[in-house]
Amino acid sequence: MSILTQKDSDELKDFIEKHKFFLIIGHKEPDGDCIASCLGLSAIIDHFNKPYQLISAGPFKRNEIIKYQKKFTDKIDFLDEAERKSTGLFITDCSEIKRLGDLDFDFKDIDTFIIDHHKTSDLPPNAKGYINANAPAAAYLIQLFYESIIGPVPKALAEILFFGICTDTGFFRFLNSSQTTSDVFLAVSRLTADGADPRKIYNEINNGKPWSTRKLLGVLLNRAERYLNGKLIITYETLEDTHKLGSEGRDSDALYQLLLSSKETKAAVFIRQDSPTTCTGGFRSLDDIDVSVVASKFGGGGHKNASGMSTEGRIDTLIPAIVKEFARIM
């Protein structure tokens, strides 16, 4: 049974029919699910023959999404008052304006429709949309909307949506035993029937990484430290690391997989010093450890077993603070 209702699909359709032009945007530092969700929404709007702009603040750091960068822009067309009133804003794979990144545009008072799947997400005041934390990927939700409103997914879009779903599910290894998981496999089986090639998409996600990322992975593993009797592992990247090894083609998934495979480890954290005064971080966990609780303490959020943050601070002061918060839940 689909987690979408006919009412959900009708609300999205009504939103599209109500507006003349659309802005489609996801979170800054996009991943495969974010990009696939935006492209899926653009395909739905194409069905209604209406114009749109695909927006991303970037940067496109991940090797597997670079080929899609040319479809997006970080320069939003100027809209006069009348145009703003007829414009619909789609936000997907996040629900907060502050997570869209540094864009020269005022999103205030533009009709907004949000499609997201993060546990810590919520609809802002006056926004419409659909948020379901049980969905493993925003691209999965977009697939369901497309099939409900339009019908079978064309091959090119099937490949993109399959790619997005695989990104957020770790090629399905993050899924558990549930009715939602059963429905996800039914959905992706439809995508393969529509032409998505699992082996090709797996190779696109996991192969072709820059050599510098292999070197960085070694640095981060060597620097990793265990806390709380080995239940927590934290590693970090300095500004010097970024300068020396670059920021393109990151492979955080491989890092988390290696850290979490260590005996007794229940959670792993990666912190990157982005500027002298700001850091970003990623949180991953196994089983019942809810890292979104910790991420929320540092201005972040996400899923129970996968969350992120972007905050003021430095690595040397953030690590003790993060360990303290994990000690509360471990």
Side-chain angles (χ1 to χ4, degrees):
M1 179 183 294
S2 173
I3 59 177
L4 292 184
T5 66
Q6 187 61 49
K7 181 176 180 291
D8 297 323
S9 298
D10 289 343
E11 287 180 352
L12 176 58
K13 184 178 178 181
D14 290 344
F15 187 81
I16 295 174
E17 291 177 336
K18 178 182 176 182
H19 298 91
K20 295 180 180 179
F21 178 73
F22 299 90
L23 301 173
I24 305 172
I25 188 169
H27 57 78
K28 62 183 179 180
E29 293 196 26
D31 58 7
D33 186 34
C34 178
I35 294 301
S37 303
C38 289
L39 294 174
L41 272 170
S42 72
I44 294 175
I45 296 172
D46 275 333
H47 176 75
F48 290 85
N49 295 312
K50 294 193 175 185
Y52 56 83
Q53 264 194 308
L54 284 162
I55 311 297
S56 178
F60 283 64
K61 293 181 178 180
R62 300 168 183 262
N63 187 66
E64 65 269 23
I65 65 170
I66 290 175
K67 66 179 181 180
Y68 298 112
Q69 183 171 1
K70 62 181 180 295
K71 295 180 179 291
F72 291 78
T73 180
D74 61 357
K75 303 292 189 297
I76 304 177
D77 292 341
F78 172 78
L79 302 174
D80 61 29
E81 185 176 351
E83 289 170 332
R84 288 176 67 88
K85 289 181 178 179
S86 64
T87 294
L89 171 64
F90 276 113
I91 300 176
T92 186
D93 204 30
C94 77
S95 64
E96 300 169 293
I97 296 294
K98 66 181 181 180
R99 289 198 63 213
L100 302 183
D102 187 13
L103 295 162
D104 184 17
F105 189 79
D106 180 12
F107 292 102
K108 185 180 179 181
D109 297 328
I110 290 187
D111 282 349
T112 302
F113 197 102
I114 292 170
I115 299 176
D116 194 15
H117 70 122
H118 291 95
K119 179 182 177 181
T120 53
S121 293
D122 198 6
L123 288 176
N126 302 319
K128 302 176 181 65
Y130 180 84
I131 296 175
N132 193 321
N134 291 321
Y140 168 59
L141 297 176
I142 301 299
Q143 177 190 350
L144 297 183
F145 274 117
Y146 188 100
E147 292 172 331
S148 175
I149 296 171
I150 302 171
V153 178
K155 179 180 179 181
L157 181 59
E159 291 179 337
I160 290 170
L161 293 175
F162 191 98
F163 163 73
I165 294 169
C166 288
T167 297
D168 262 27
T169 63
F171 227 90
F172 311 114
R173 72 180 186 274
F174 301 148
L175 300 180
N176 57 18
S177 176
S178 69
Q179 181 59 51
T180 299
T181 293
S182 175
D183 292 339
V184 170
F185 277 111
L186 288 173
V188 296
S189 73
R190 295 194 298 273
L191 294 179
T192 59
D194 292 331
D197 184 337
R199 179 168 59 181
K200 173 187 172 185
I201 293 168
Y202 179 88
N203 288 334
E204 288 178 353
I205 293 174
N206 293 285
N207 297 341
K209 307 293 185 184
W211 174 244
S212 60
T213 66
R214 310 300 90 185
K215 301 285 285 185
L216 178 61
L217 189 58
V219 170
L220 299 179
L221 288 172
N222 187 58
R223 189 177 284 154
E225 294 290 345
R226 305 173 79 198
Y227 300 88
L228 305 178
N229 297 318
K231 290 183 288 187
L232 172 66
I233 297 179
I234 300 179
T235 189
Y236 59 89
E237 177 183 334
T238 66
L239 286 170
E240 183 181 358
D241 296 329
T242 307
H243 178 74
K244 181 178 179 180
L245 297 170
S247 60
E248 305 304 317
R250 293 309 179 90
D251 194 9
S252 56
D253 187 55
L255 174 65
Y256 294 126
Q257 189 174 358
L258 288 167
L259 295 178
L260 288 172
S261 65
S262 178
K263 186 177 181 180
E264 298 177 347
T265 301
K266 299 296 183 182
V269 177
F270 165 60
I271 306 171
R272 181 172 68 241
Q273 191 80 50
D274 288 323
S275 77
T277 59
T278 61
C279 288
T280 53
F283 301 77
R284 298 294 186 273
S285 67
L286 302 173
D287 304 325
D288 295 330
I289 303 300
D290 189 349
V291 292
S292 71
V293 173
V294 178
S296 67
K297 300 292 185 180
F298 300 91
H303 304 289
K304 175 182 176 181
N305 299 123
S307 291
M309 70 170 187
S310 181
T311 186
E312 298 286 330
R314 293 185 55 83
I315 291 169
D316 56 352
T317 56
L318 279 172
I319 288 178
I322 289 171
V323 173
K324 182 179 179 180
E325 293 300 329
F326 269 102
R328 301 178 190 274
I329 63 173
M330 283 184 161

